[in-house]
């Protein structure tokens, strides 16, 4: 099977939306999840529709937005209205535990998925995908996971095991690498770090993963393109061998 490669636009946080689109196309990515600097949460419905149309007109799939925090009922309301206006398939989010019942009802009302993102060491809400599972296991199946493999490694856990264990609700994946298996592990070009990327790719193919493999290259914010290009090239090479 062929995995769909996309971009978590936080990678290009210092670039404009127009640049994000141009760079994504140049690097052969086909899907984008936009961060708020590229599609502001306070945008009007008209502006959100315009952004979505611009991305679509460029031949790219705007499948999601995030990571978005939801700490109040008003924020939940705002985020779902935002996602609906932009016609998103999913919200990559971090909802406060007490708001999960409200999120559950909004998912049913809007038919928009929520992929909860694990943030590793120091995250009191969802340090690990296991923390996500413990909070969502009895909720609507459209509430699932955005597994960030870098943060999984930083807490000393195995991303491959989580990919296989939670395959039925794995809706997004942040592809990256880090330089060591420790809380202070830093972002690095994919293939130069400690994450077993070939095993991650094999696991995604094994479960017939239908979501986007979203590159989130957090190093070199001012000049991210060379490292991003190297990372994409490495993963493409692994995909051919897997």
């Amino acid at each position: 099977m062929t995995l769909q490669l996309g971009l978590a636009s936080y990678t290009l946080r210092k670039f404009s939306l127009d640049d994000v689109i141009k760079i994504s196309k140049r690097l052969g990515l086909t899907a984008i999840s936009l961060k708020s600097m590229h599609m502001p949460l306070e945008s009007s419905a008209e502006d959100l529709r315009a952004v979505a149309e611009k991305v679509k007109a460029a031949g790219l799939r705007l499948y999601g937005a995030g990571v978005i925090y939801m700490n109040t009922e008003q924020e939940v309301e705002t985020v779902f209205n935002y996602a609906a206006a932009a016609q998103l398939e999913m919200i990559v989010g971090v909802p406060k535990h007490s708001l999960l019942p409200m999120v559950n009802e909004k998912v049913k009302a809007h038919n928009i998925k929520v992929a909860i993102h694990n943030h590793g060491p120091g995250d009191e809400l969802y340090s690990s995908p296991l923390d996500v599972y413990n909070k969502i296991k009895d909720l609507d199946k459209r509430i699932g996971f955005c597994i960030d493999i870098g943060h999984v490694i930083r807490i000393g856990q195995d991303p491959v095991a989580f990919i296989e264990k939670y395959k039925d609700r794995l809706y997004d994946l942040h592809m990256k690498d880090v330089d060591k298996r420790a809380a202070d592990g830093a972002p690095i070009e994919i293939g130069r770090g400690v994450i077993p990327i070939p095993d991650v790719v094999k696991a995604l193919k094994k479960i017939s993963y239908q979501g986007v493999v979203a590159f989130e290259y957090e190093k070199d914010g001012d000049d991210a393109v060379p490292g991003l290009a190297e990372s994409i090239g490495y993963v493409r090479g692994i995909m051919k061998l897997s």
Side-chain angles (χ1 to χ4, degrees):
M1 65 168 290
T2 301
L3 297 171
Q4 183 174 19
L5 303 185
L7 181 74
S9 82
Y10 180 76
T11 299
L12 300 174
R13 54 199 175 276
K14 300 294 183 70
F15 294 75
S16 69
L17 175 62
D18 287 344
D19 286 335
V20 169
I21 291 170
K22 289 175 185 175
I23 291 165
S24 296
K25 288 178 66 67
R26 192 167 84 227
L27 295 178
L29 302 178
T30 58
I32 297 179
S33 176
L34 290 178
K35 184 68 175 171
S36 53
M37 68 279 299
H38 299 124
M39 190 167 71
L41 282 163
E42 61 274 15
S43 300
S44 67
E46 182 181 7
D47 286 345
L48 290 167
R49 286 191 290 269
V51 169
E53 183 55 39
K54 176 180 280 193
V55 174
K56 182 179 178 181
L60 299 171
R61 173 182 161 214
L62 176 59
Y63 74 94
V67 175
I68 304 174
Y69 290 84
M70 290 174 261
N71 293 316
T72 66
E73 290 186 358
Q74 182 56 57
E75 287 179 357
V76 173
E77 192 76 38
T78 297
V79 168
F80 275 88
N81 289 338
Y82 165 91
Q87 298 184 312
L88 302 181
E89 300 165 34
M90 77 177 69
I91 297 160
V92 181
V94 180
K96 191 176 176 181
H97 295 161
S98 62
L99 294 171
L100 283 170
M102 182 180 181
V103 170
N104 198 51
E105 293 308 309
K106 290 291 183 182
V107 164
K108 294 176 184 178
H110 289 278
N111 190 28
I112 295 172
K113 293 175 182 173
V114 172
I116 297 181
H117 181 278
N118 58 289
H119 260 123
D123 182 356
E124 296 180 0
L125 292 177
Y126 308 103
S127 177
S128 161
L130 180 60
D131 298 325
V132 177
Y133 176 75
N134 287 336
K135 293 296 181 181
I136 71 168
K137 58 186 177 182
D138 298 322
L139 300 180
D140 191 286
K141 302 298 185 187
R142 286 166 289 191
I143 302 177
F145 300 82
C146 169
I147 293 181
D148 185 306
I149 62 174
H151 294 318
V152 170
I153 289 289
R154 290 175 57 240
I155 55 172
Q157 296 180 339
D158 179 11
V160 171
F162 285 130
I163 287 167
E164 295 182 354
K165 185 174 183 178
Y166 300 133
K167 61 183 179 181
D168 293 339
R169 290 167 80 167
L170 178 57
Y171 299 136
D172 199 23
L173 182 129
H174 282 179
M175 175 63 78
K176 61 180 59 170
D177 211 342
V178 293
D179 62 1
K180 55 183 168 180
R181 296 174 182 268
D184 61 348
I188 195 168
E189 294 84 353
I190 295 177
R192 298 193 192 191
V194 298
I195 299 181
I197 301 298
D199 294 339
V200 169
V201 170
K202 286 177 184 176
L204 292 171
K205 290 189 173 184
K206 178 181 177 182
I207 68 167
S208 298
Y209 176 61
Q210 298 300 306
V212 175
V213 177
F215 287 86
E216 188 180 45
Y217 178 69
E218 295 167 297
K219 185 184 173 191
D220 305 324
D222 291 324
D223 187 26
V225 178
L228 174 61
E230 178 183 327
S231 297
I232 293 168
Y234 179 84
V235 171
R236 282 208 173 99
I238 294 299
M239 286 168 56
K240 289 180 180 178
L241 296 173
S242 299

